[in-house]
Amino acid sequence: MTRHVRVAIMGAGFSGLGVAIRLDKQGVDDFVVFEKASDVGGTWQANTYPGARCDVPSQLYSYSFALNPRWTHSFSTQPEIQQYIRDVVDEFGIRDRVVLNCEVLGARWNADAAHWKITTTQGEFTADFAVSAAGPLSAPNLPDIKGISSFEGAVFHSARWDHSAELAGKRVAVVGTGASAIQIIPGIADTVGQLTVFQRTAPWVLPRVGHKYTAVERFAYQRIPGWQRLVRTAIYWLRESFVIWQAKIPLLAAFVGLVARGKIFLEIRDKELRAKVTPKYRLGCKRMLISNDYYGALSRPNVDVVTDGIHEIRANSIVTEDGSELPVDAIVFATGFRIEDSPTYDLITGRDGRTVAEVFEAEGISAYRGTALANFPNVFVMMGPNTALAYTSAIFTIESQINYIADAIAQLTERGLRTVEVRGDVQHSYDVALQRKYEGTVWTTGGCDSWFKDSTGKIHTLWPDFSFRFYRTLKHFDLDAYETT
Ligand code: NAP
């Protein structure tokens, strides 16, 4: 039997759960959250690799309505974040509407009935509104390298860590040097026998200025009213100032680059290794990374950095473009996620029978306010195009979108409207105005390729401005930008 709900939410990470909690609070308790994994947490449930921790300060990396005075470090580890998410689900009483082990196989708009028909591994549902909260970091990007299927050892992606694979004493390859890899490498360097790091582009790495919280600090967060919020606010504005050198005065990035260069100089003695890990683009062009143990790990005698591309993978080795054959027992792909061509875009079929992926392919990737899509009535996308923040917490974006969606549903309910769809011309003008804001920023002029940009150089991932402007833009739902029935 098909079950009908007011709102169907796809994904039980920070985004989906945040929407659920807000809807519940405003009296819309008829919703369901589909989660394909066996636990809540989204990316924090999936990424269990050694050394996984957040590179955004803990004080910012929590819901504003559920501050956590119990964080043990100013940069939280993955297990603590996942436990925080579990605790929030229980504290706000929404666990009964989260369906675990339930994968969404497809969602199709039914114009006659004015609802979404959602097919899942646990049956059919219909919903007046759908919220796509699968997240941009849910589908691993596994490069299609010649011979990969012939490899006989353990091979897995960083977001699907194989905890049964025995790496101790083995020859391990890590492909990639992004945010995940620079945590994994120090996490395994002292237990594996030999570690070969395949670096395509050197990342800029800044020091992590953080510390383990003392009992006194935790006591203060728990007992002094307003203290934790004050600290959070101070950190928020400090991070906000990063926009000035990233987007407003890009030359300032060169000065921050000096700090990163100094770090390479101080932490690496070997001149050849220093040269390999020194990036050739301006700091900030790709996502900046922070670490206090990455260069130390690369400097270990059992660690090598290989900058030649991978030509082929054989049963027990990796062959590089220059013909060298390196024997390996296990390969970890820390190669990021399918952001541009996320498979979740194939699942949602809109008013004219085309999927989100097909519309993006034909018309380019864009969304009105990162949240609404023309041709897709009554659907909202969490962390959609041009919403990622390069310098502060994604939770701030998520909460801005939650405000918008909650207000949309409230306004539509109050006016007795059944359908809402952003006008194509409004979405187009929004995108054109947004694209102008990237001109001259370090993301476009910094001399790098990154997942921020597509192959044409268009940026459809990042929000280009202060995050408080995104918050203000989405504070209220602007019904006049939409067609309604
Ligand atoms: P990523 O930043 O996209 O890095 C992927 C790495 O793999 C890059 O070094 C990339 O090289 C390399 N790569 C990709 N395809 C390759 C190929 N075919 N051959 C060789 N190398 C290849 O991915 P990620 O490290 O998983 O991080 C993804 C995002 O997750 C981050 O940007 C961040 O938003 C998030 N994250 C956050 C945290 C946190 O602490 N909050 C931690 C981990 C991840 P190129 O640079 O040349 O493309």
Side-chain angles (χ1 to χ4, degrees), residues 44 49 53-56 61 137 141 143 145 157-158 175-181 183 198 200-201 286-287 310 334-337 449 451:
W44 294 104
Y49 57 76
R53 68 161 64 219
C54 190
D55 59 12
V56 171
Y61 209 79
L137 306 178
N141 168 44
I145 298 173
H157 186 270
S158 53
V175 183
T177 51
S180 303
Q183 296 181 336
F198 287 87
R200 190 165 66 178
T201 312
K286 290 164 95 79
R287 192 171 185 273
I310 299 176
T335 41
F337 297 87
D449 284 329
W451 59 260

Side-chain angles (χ1 to χ4, degrees), residues 6-176:
R6 180 76 169 140
V7 187
I9 301 165
M10 302 178 245
F14 266 109
S15 294
L17 296 171
V19 173
I21 291 167
R22 170 63 75 79
L23 290 178
D24 199 50
K25 193 170 165 212
Q26 76 181 36
V28 184
D29 55 2
D30 179 19
F31 62 80
V32 64
V33 184
F34 303 118
E35 173 52 59
K36 73 176 173 194
S38 58
D39 199 354
V40 296
T43 194
W44 294 104
Q45 187 278 333
N47 285 271
T48 60
Y49 57 76
R53 68 161 64 219
C54 190
D55 59 12
V56 171
S58 314
Q59 298 302 341
L60 276 190
Y61 209 79
S62 52
Y63 294 118
S64 63
F65 55 82
L67 300 193
N68 181 12
R70 292 175 302 281
W71 294 127
T72 61
H73 197 285
S74 56
F75 288 90
S76 307
T77 59
Q78 175 269 336
E80 263 195 77
I81 299 173
Q82 203 193 344
Q83 190 53 49
Y84 165 79
I85 298 171
R86 288 190 192 114
D87 292 346
V88 166
V89 167
D90 291 329
E91 187 185 335
F92 288 86
I94 56 160
R95 192 169 283 277
D96 56 334
R97 281 152 291 170
V98 178
V99 188
L100 299 174
N101 302 304
C102 181
E103 185 174 353
V104 172
L105 303 172
R108 180 173 281 274
W109 176 247
N110 179 336
D112 297 332
H115 66 212
W116 284 92
K117 184 175 170 204
I118 299 161
T119 308
T120 77
T121 48
Q122 294 194 29
E124 301 267 330
F125 292 76
T126 53
D128 295 334
F129 295 96
V131 177
S132 170
L137 306 178
S138 57
N141 168 44
L142 271 174
D144 185 18
I145 298 173
K146 185 178 162 200
I148 191 168
S149 56
S150 65
F151 188 68
E152 288 176 359
V155 54
F156 50 88
H157 186 270
S158 53
R160 302 284 182 272
W161 194 268
D162 180 355
H163 291 276
S164 68
E166 184 53 75
L167 301 183
K170 297 282 171 59
R171 295 166 301 188
V172 179
V174 172
V175 183

Side-chain angles (χ1 to χ4, degrees), residues 207-399:
R208 187 178 69 217
V209 185
H211 66 287
K212 201 168 179 307
Y213 284 138
T214 61
V216 174
E217 284 175 287
R218 293 223 299 274
F219 179 84
Y221 286 142
Q222 282 172 42
R223 299 295 170 84
I224 302 177
W227 175 241
Q228 189 169 24
R229 201 163 290 281
L230 189 70
V231 172
R232 177 182 163 103
T233 306
I235 296 172
Y236 171 78
W237 287 108
L238 174 70
R239 304 291 285 208
E240 206 65 355
S241 70
F242 290 10
V243 181
I244 296 169
W245 62 265
Q246 291 206 346
K248 308 287 177 193
I249 313 174
L251 271 182
L252 286 179
F255 292 103
V256 184
L258 287 179
V259 175
R261 281 180 197 277
K263 185 173 162 66
I264 294 172
F265 183 76
L266 292 175
E267 294 182 17
I268 300 178
R269 297 255 61 85
D270 181 73
K271 282 191 179 157
E272 199 186 324
L273 181 58
R274 273 186 195 156
K276 276 184 186 170
V277 302
T278 303
K280 309 277 185 295
Y281 55 88
R282 257 204 346 261
L283 182 135
C285 182
K286 290 164 95 79
R287 192 171 185 273
M288 268 179 320
L289 307 182
I290 56 166
S291 175
N292 293 343
D293 49 13
Y294 177 59
Y295 291 142
L298 294 186
S299 303
R300 290 174 59 95
N302 67 331
V303 180
D304 277 330
V305 178
V306 173
T307 51
D308 282 311
I310 299 176
H311 171 67
E312 180 184 2
I313 294 177
R314 295 190 183 151
N316 299 295
S317 63
I318 294 179
V319 180
T320 56
E321 298 288 1
D322 70 351
S324 311
E325 183 166 4
L326 307 163
V328 288
D329 304 310
I331 306 175
V332 177
F333 283 100
T335 41
F337 297 87
R338 290 172 59 189
I339 294 173
E340 218 174 289
D341 63 338
S342 171
T344 56
Y345 292 150
D346 293 319
L347 300 180
I348 301 172
T349 306
R351 183 171 43 75
D352 70 359
R354 287 186 299 164
T355 62
V356 174
E358 286 164 345
V359 171
F360 282 174
E361 172 79 30
E363 291 159 29
I365 299 176
S366 81
Y368 180 58
R369 299 187 170 183
T371 314
L373 303 167
N375 186 48
F376 296 86
N378 290 23
V379 75
F380 300 104
V381 184
M382 295 299 290
M383 299 295 298
N386 301 97
T387 59
L389 296 168
Y391 56 90
T392 191
S393 173
I395 314 248
F396 195 77
T397 306
I398 289 169
E399 290 199 27

Side-chain angles (χ1 to χ4, degrees), residues 415-471:
R415 290 164 194 250
L417 296 168
R418 292 177 80 207
T419 70
V420 66
E421 179 186 334
V422 68
R423 290 182 3 230
D425 60 318
V426 171
Q427 182 176 325
H428 179 71
S429 310
Y430 174 82
D431 190 47
V432 170
L434 202 62
Q435 288 303 323
R436 273 194 217 114
K437 293 199 167 201
Y438 299 103
E439 289 166 14
T441 63
V442 69
W443 305 307
T444 52
T445 63
C448 73
D449 284 329
S450 78
W451 59 260
F452 294 164
K453 300 184 251 194
D454 65 16
S455 47
T456 68
K458 182 184 169 189
I459 296 187
H460 50 71
T461 47
L462 286 185
W463 170 251
D465 209 327
F466 293 103
S467 71
F468 64 79
R469 293 219 167 109
F470 187 75
Y471 180 85

